Amino acid sequence: MSRYYIDPRKNELKLRPAELKKKIEEMQEIIWKLTYIRSRGRIDLKFAVGKLARLVLYPHQKVITAAHKLLQYVYNTRDMSLTFTRDEEMNKLVNITIISNASLATEYDLKSRGGALIWIGRNLFHGFSKKLSFVCESSAEAELDAINTAEKLGLLLKLKLLKITNNNIEVKRKLIADSKPAMVKSRLY
């Protein structure tokens, strides 16, 4: 799912208006179902559903096939679950770990993609993957944007944790990324 280099808009859809409308409605229904399931805790679907949602008005056969494969994945993994537990050491010290990464020019329009996972202790708190709104000239630039976004979320999380505990805990943040030039620019290095 994450390697979608084909731009379905380049292939002409030779469909009559009624067929096109029917296929768009089919895609909208699939995306609606997947979005609902994702909003109920299936964070593993976030990237793929976002990718499909951008292509809902271009119901190319490859897009419809990918949507059906994603529905099959959801069905096959319906019995799997994530369990979040509270760490005993979190009573006085909370560790926030931010793992960030980016890729250069992986989208069909040469834009980069950045993302991060944010952990509280040993529990996954949040993950995101987003297409950047600009074209990066280097991988360090893409990494820096991903680090910056993740760092903002980590700082916001730290401030929220301090607020809800009335400053009764210590919060430490740690950033992990694979780009040394981008890490040098980061305040968490």
Side-chain angles (χ1 to χ4, degrees):
M1 259 334 209
S2 63
R3 293 182 162 235
Y4 194 82
Y5 295 111
I6 299 167
D7 183 1
R9 293 177 279 188
K10 289 183 181 176
N11 295 345
E12 280 192 36
L13 293 172
K14 296 176 181 166
L15 299 171
R16 287 175 282 159
E19 286 179 290
L20 180 64
K21 183 178 179 184
K22 184 180 174 192
K23 287 190 179 262
I24 288 174
E25 287 173 355
E26 177 187 357
M27 279 300 297
Q28 288 173 334
E29 184 178 342
I30 292 171
I31 297 299
W32 179 86
K33 289 176 184 176
L34 290 169
T35 301
Y36 178 79
I37 293 167
R38 184 197 52 79
S39 71
R40 297 295 176 247
R42 289 295 302 265
I43 57 175
D44 57 326
L45 302 177
K46 187 174 184 177
F47 174 79
V49 172
K51 205 65 149 152
L52 285 173
R54 281 189 259 145
L55 300 171
V56 74
L57 296 177
Y58 302 96
H60 191 275
Q61 188 56 44
K62 290 180 180 182
V63 176
I64 294 171
T65 301
H68 286 292
K69 282 183 180 181
L70 188 57
L71 278 174
Q72 187 64 45
Y73 166 78
V74 170
Y75 181 77
N76 291 341
T77 59
R78 67 190 180 279
D79 295 329
M80 295 181 175
S81 64
L82 292 173
T83 304
F84 295 98
T85 58
R86 182 183 172 109
D87 295 334
E88 289 300 321
E89 66 263 11
M90 282 183 66
N91 291 332
K92 293 292 177 192
L93 174 66
V94 176
N95 290 310
I96 298 173
T97 306
I98 304 164
I99 303 170
S100 175
N101 199 5
S103 58
L104 180 65
T106 55
E107 301 291 324
Y108 56 82
D109 55 0
L110 298 179
K111 292 189 178 170
S112 301
R113 177 163 287 281
L117 296 173
I118 300 173
W119 297 76
I120 300 177
R122 288 182 260 155
N123 296 309
L124 179 64
F125 173 73
H126 180 64
F128 72 89
S129 175
K130 68 175 187 134
K131 179 177 162 182
L132 303 183
S133 59
F134 55 93
V135 177
C136 296
E137 294 182 15
S138 69
S139 60
E141 185 179 0
E143 292 276 357
L144 196 56
D145 185 71
I147 289 171
N148 185 36
T149 304
E151 195 174 356
K152 286 178 189 175
L153 290 171
L155 180 60
L156 179 63
L157 177 59
K158 176 183 177 177
L159 295 174
K160 290 285 184 185
L161 287 172
L162 290 173
K163 183 176 181 179
I164 63 174
T165 60
N166 294 323
N167 294 324
N168 288 335
I169 61 169
E170 181 184 355
V171 180
K172 290 186 178 180
R173 292 182 300 150
K174 178 182 178 185
L175 176 66
I176 300 170
D178 61 353
S179 174
K180 185 80 170 174
M183 290 288 287
V184 169
K185 295 287 186 186
S186 173
R187 292 176 293 206
L188 289 178
Y189 181 65

